[in-house]
Amino acid sequence: MRVYQTTARNFAGDTENRIHSDEVAAQFGFAGALVAGAAVFGHMTRPLVEALGTDWLTNWTADVRFLKPAYHGDALTIHHEETRGEHTVRCHARGVLLAELTSTPGETAESNLTVIGAGAAIDERPEIHWDNVMVGEPFPAWTWSSDAIANAESAAQVEDDLDCYQSGVIHPNAILGTANRAFTRRYLLPAWIHVGSTVRFRRLLCVGDVIEVRTVPTRKWQRKGHEFVSLDIAYLVDGAVATEIRHMSIFRVRSDRTPT
């Protein structure tokens, strides 16, 4: 087992999602502003890329679940172990398990996300509510192209100085953070929580790639007073799926939560 230690930082305090502010997070029973799940994922990928190199970002699947919040300044202890070709990464802080990631080699099957269409353009983003989350209705497509400065910032946010990111490989923090942007480009989301993602890497994403982002809601559900949505997101480069993500979030948080 390998152990990696780092520090969680909240770089999302000035974003539209006020769950990353102390005041609003406290209203939902949290001890402080939540660190973005994409950043926690970014920290957790460090030992995987150290062990497997950029092949991990080319042809592996990562399934991550966020179980408890990470707060600014948390000392993160990340354990990485391999059993019969499957890699498991667990992130702890404050004596509790915050997140767990399992990763397996990619399969050769064709992506089923290439069928995601490009939805009609919208004049303005509506505030999200249960009735305007339309399962099966694609969002407008858009393009993303990371530059060297933005990529360096994404790596620095999670204290990751691996050479591959300095050489132009897009950091996983940015890859999963862009899935959040796919959601927030469609709706106004005053306070929401990313609870998990399954990421299938099919091609290495690099600075300068012109990446088409296509998104469709595949499911919405209610549990314990929260309202959830699952999005399928495809990143296409030159018309082929380079990365596909199943992205799950609480878009309406129950307001009478027990403090965490």
Side-chain angles (χ1 to χ4, degrees):
M1 179 185 292
R2 303 178 183 89
V3 179
Y4 170 62
Q5 294 184 313
T6 185
T7 303
R9 305 290 183 193
N10 179 22
F11 288 94
D14 60 353
T15 63
E16 180 179 278
N17 184 4
R18 304 316 296 150
I19 205 71
H20 300 305
S21 71
D22 289 334
E23 180 180 1
V24 172
Q27 293 174 13
F28 290 102
F30 295 105
L34 275 62
V35 171
V40 176
F41 175 73
H43 284 294
M44 296 173 75
T45 64
R46 169 67 181 257
L48 291 166
V49 177
E50 279 190 313
L52 299 167
T54 56
D55 180 63
W56 186 75
L57 292 160
T58 305
N59 192 34
W60 282 69
T61 296
D63 185 53
V64 63
R65 293 296 178 267
F66 303 111
L67 309 173
K68 294 288 184 181
Y71 298 122
H72 182 77
D74 272 350
L76 304 180
T77 300
I78 296 171
H79 297 88
H80 168 222
E81 57 186 330
E82 178 188 1
T83 305
R84 294 186 294 277
E86 179 175 285
H87 292 253
T88 302
V89 181
R90 295 181 177 89
C91 177
H92 292 79
R94 311 184 310 276
V96 298
L97 177 64
L98 303 188
E100 185 169 33
L101 183 160
T102 57
S103 188
T104 55
E107 300 173 351
T108 58
E110 290 298 315
S111 169
N112 62 1
L113 297 188
T114 55
V115 297
I116 296 176
I122 57 174
D123 293 329
E124 59 181 345
R125 296 180 300 149
E127 184 167 333
I128 197 167
H129 59 78
W130 181 262
D131 292 333
N132 69 5
V133 176
M134 308 302 292
V135 171
E137 184 174 298
F139 295 177
W142 56 287
T143 57
W144 165 47
S145 185
S146 181
D147 60 33
I149 294 173
N151 195 50
E153 181 179 349
S154 293
Q157 286 175 352
V158 295
E159 302 180 349
D160 195 339
D161 60 358
L162 291 179
D163 289 342
C164 62
Y165 304 122
Q166 299 175 43
S167 300
V169 174
I170 295 180
H171 198 280
N173 179 23
I175 292 173
L176 208 54
T178 297
N180 290 336
R181 288 173 59 200
F183 197 17
T184 60
R185 284 175 62 93
R186 178 61 180 83
Y187 295 103
L188 290 169
L189 291 149
W192 63 283
I193 301 173
H194 176 197
V195 296
S197 293
T198 301
V199 184
R200 169 70 167 92
F201 299 111
R202 292 184 174 274
R203 196 202 107 156
L204 196 63
L205 293 176
C206 296
V207 167
D209 283 342
V210 177
I211 302 164
E212 183 180 8
V213 182
R214 295 195 176 195
T215 308
V216 63
T218 56
R219 183 186 172 208
K220 62 180 180 179
W221 68 100
Q222 299 174 330
R223 183 164 60 88
K224 297 182 179 180
H226 304 303
E227 294 180 358
F228 294 77
V229 65
S230 179
L231 307 175
D232 276 1
I233 303 169
Y235 297 164
L236 286 76
V237 178
D238 297 329
V241 174
T243 302
E244 56 194 69
I245 301 171
R246 179 151 289 171
H247 206 56
M248 292 162 287
S249 304
I250 300 173
F251 65 87
R252 182 179 177 275
V253 185
R254 190 182 76 236
S255 59
D256 60 343
R257 294 182 69 262
T258 301
T260 301

